[in-house]
Amino acid sequence: MERINGAAPYLPEEIIINILKRLPVKSLIRFRCVCKHWENLFKNPFFIAAHLCQSNQNPSFIFSHDYLLNTLPLRLLDCEMQLRDVQKARPFDSFASRSCFNIVGSSNGLLCFVIRLCPRFPFSLLIWNPVTGDGREVPVSRIVDMDKDHYVLGFGFSPLDNDYKIVSIYGKNRSVVSGVDLYSLSRDSWKEIEVRNLGNLSLVNGLL
Amino acid sequence: MSSSVEAITVLSSDGDEFKITVSAAKLSKPLNWMLEDVCFSDDCDEVPTIEVNSKTLVKVIEYCEKHAPRANSGASDSDAEELKKWDIEFMKMDVKDILFHILMAANYLHMEGLYDLACQTAADLMKGMTVSQIRKIFHIKNDFSSEEQEQLRRQHPGCSFD
């Protein structure tokens, strides 16, 4: 490639995208400084979907071996069976270092955490991209009385509207559901959903 | 098409003549359609032009001839493994300086295998390149203003525009 010089042909956009979607995220992060068009392209949902589709051929696994936020004991097992520590990034700085976390779910490389100072404390939610380091703290949908209320959280991607969602189910006890709230990442807001007969629910692949 | 014809002659964009076997030409959809539509027999003097320069066409035909037996008959796993090794060597050779031409040719000739291989090779080579090297090979101008560069540097410490 060093020998590709001024004589290299101008490639059509279609071919350039086909090359770029094969690059690891690390390279994409570096190459967003190439030009404004590339910087915007890497944020484009269609490009992200194409890149994801390509990289899904080489899946990675993430797991935690502790629950304390200050150490963020997360490790990534990549497709070449290499184990790497995941670096904690800025989005976590706003939480007290003694907080505990649980992974609510993961979808397309995004992770959703529930973070709280102790089990009886109100919780915060964080959606985080461990590769780019970008994250967003999600406000909780309602004040929960930790002594009386039960809640279940789920995180997933909805291909129908190309959006990431958090579902939060509240109940007075394990069998009576008192409300269901749905958070949309693209709208950055919660809305309450009408649910009549909610039988036994379970999360599969982050989806209800 | 006469079944007796085993190879056809094509012209490159530079006007040079090249022979390609019928089974190898079938790897390209447009060439395959042409084979079905046009009469190629010994007394037919029609020579189609392929809009690819001679240097690139030599490599494209080499790829087609190597992959044709497997594409037409299917092959064992060991053949697939051998072919993979051959692909890596093929992309290592003097292809590098014409990689973008190969990409254009594979796209134009609808050759999925070669197109994927060339895209992956380009991506692998890009991983080791700097931002300014990338701009040079893709003919891109740095259109960030100094304020925008400063802002990106603040958001993403360590990012480089060179």
Side-chain angles (χ1 to χ4, degrees):
Chain A
M1 196 86 117
E2 306 77 46
R3 277 187 282 161
I4 292 176
N5 46 36
Y10 282 75
L11 293 181
E13 175 99 350
E14 175 200 346
I15 298 183
I16 295 181
I17 290 178
N18 211 308
I19 298 171
L20 293 175
K21 74 175 188 191
R22 294 159 198 269
L23 283 169
V25 176
K26 221 165 73 180
S27 301
L28 292 182
I29 290 173
R30 244 171 15 93
F31 295 155
R32 67 182 156 200
C33 296
V34 167
C35 64
K36 286 188 200 172
H37 179 59
W38 281 24
E39 198 213 357
N40 289 323
L41 175 70
F42 299 162
K43 293 183 207 156
N44 181 311
F46 293 102
F47 179 80
I48 294 169
H51 185 265
L52 190 69
C53 185
Q54 188 79 32
S55 49
N56 271 352
Q57 294 166 14
N58 304 310
S60 305
F61 299 93
I62 198 156
F63 54 90
S64 63
H65 54 87
D66 201 358
Y67 52 85
L68 279 172
L69 196 64
N70 61 349
T71 52
L72 196 73
L74 290 180
R75 284 198 178 153
L76 190 75
L77 183 65
D78 68 19
C79 57
E80 282 151 355
M81 301 303 277
Q82 296 287 317
L83 201 58
R84 285 185 289 143
D85 281 329
V86 176
Q87 296 300 315
K88 197 165 87 164
R90 223 173 18 187
F92 290 93
D93 294 349
S94 55
F95 300 102
S97 60
R98 283 180 297 112
S99 304
C100 307
F101 74 90
N102 277 110
I103 298 177
V104 174
S106 79
S107 187
N108 297 339
L110 285 185
L111 288 167
C112 178
F113 291 91
V114 56
I115 298 171
R116 74 201 110 191
L117 208 49
C118 86
R120 304 210 73 78
F121 267 56
F123 57 87
S124 304
L125 291 164
L126 178 75
I127 296 175
W128 185 52
N129 182 333
V131 180
T132 64
D134 296 329
R136 182 187 289 178
E137 192 178 340
V138 177
V140 283
S141 59
R142 55 177 87 181
I143 305 297
V144 181
D145 182 343
M146 295 313 238
D147 286 326
K148 293 186 201 142
D149 297 333
H150 287 267
Y151 62 91
V152 181
L153 296 164
F155 173 68
F157 177 73
S158 160
L160 288 178
D161 45 6
N162 208 9
D163 194 8
Y164 291 89
K165 312 228 161 148
I166 298 174
V167 63
S168 180
I169 304 169
Y170 299 96
K172 288 293 163 207
N173 56 52
R174 286 196 180 275
S175 53
V176 181
V177 171
S178 57
V180 178
D181 296 341
L182 191 70
Y183 171 80
S184 143
L185 182 64
S186 68
R187 286 196 302 270
D188 190 21
S189 64
W190 288 91
K191 74 172 180 202
E192 192 172 352
I193 318 178
E194 281 281 334
V195 188
R196 290 205 183 91
N197 287 319
L198 216 54
N200 285 325
L201 284 176
S202 55
L203 286 165
V204 178
N205 198 14
L207 301 169
L208 278 170
Chain B
M1 189 195 106
S2 162
S3 59
S4 64
V5 177
E6 284 180 353
I8 57 167
T9 305
V10 291
L11 280 178
S12 73
S13 59
D14 306 325
D16 298 321
E17 279 192 9
F18 291 92
K19 282 257 179 223
I20 178 167
T21 61
V22 167
S23 62
K26 281 183 178 167
L27 258 66
S28 154
K29 274 185 205 142
L31 287 186
N32 201 17
W33 293 330
M34 201 171 67
L35 286 170
E36 284 167 3
D37 291 347
V38 184
C39 155
F40 286 103
S41 55
D42 294 338
D43 55 351
C44 174
D45 49 8
E46 190 173 347
V47 182
T49 302
I50 298 178
E51 288 303 326
V52 173
N53 68 36
S54 298
K55 204 175 168 189
T56 309
L57 194 54
V58 170
K59 300 306 290 184
V60 171
I61 292 175
E62 188 188 340
Y63 177 91
C64 288
E65 298 291 357
K66 182 70 190 178
H67 280 254
R70 179 177 148 82
N72 293 325
S73 63
S76 64
D77 285 351
S78 64
D79 282 351
E81 206 50 47
E82 192 251 87
L83 212 51
K84 236 181 185 170
K85 280 187 193 146
W86 184 89
D87 281 350
I88 294 169
E89 287 305 311
F90 176 74
M91 280 293 160
K92 263 190 207 160
M93 291 184 300
D94 51 350
V95 180
K96 279 185 183 174
D97 55 341
I98 55 164
L99 182 58
F100 281 14
H101 288 278
I102 298 251
L103 267 168
M104 301 275 272
N107 189 40
Y108 156 68
L109 292 170
H110 292 246
M111 293 173 54
E112 213 178 310
L114 181 59
Y115 183 60
D116 280 344
L117 179 64
C119 281
Q120 191 56 55
T121 306
D124 290 342
L125 289 166
M126 283 172 73
K127 285 181 209 167
M129 297 172 81
T130 66
V131 170
S132 25
Q133 283 171 323
I134 295 289
R135 281 194 202 110
K136 196 173 166 198
I137 62 160
F138 286 100
H139 309 279
I140 295 173
K141 279 205 171 76
N142 178 6
D143 57 355
F144 289 105
S145 69
S146 47
E147 290 81 27
E148 286 164 336
Q149 293 194 22
E150 203 41 56
Q151 195 186 345
L152 266 168
R153 277 202 193 96
R154 266 201 305 275
Q155 282 171 356
H156 311 286
C159 72
S160 166
F161 289 85
D162 303 315

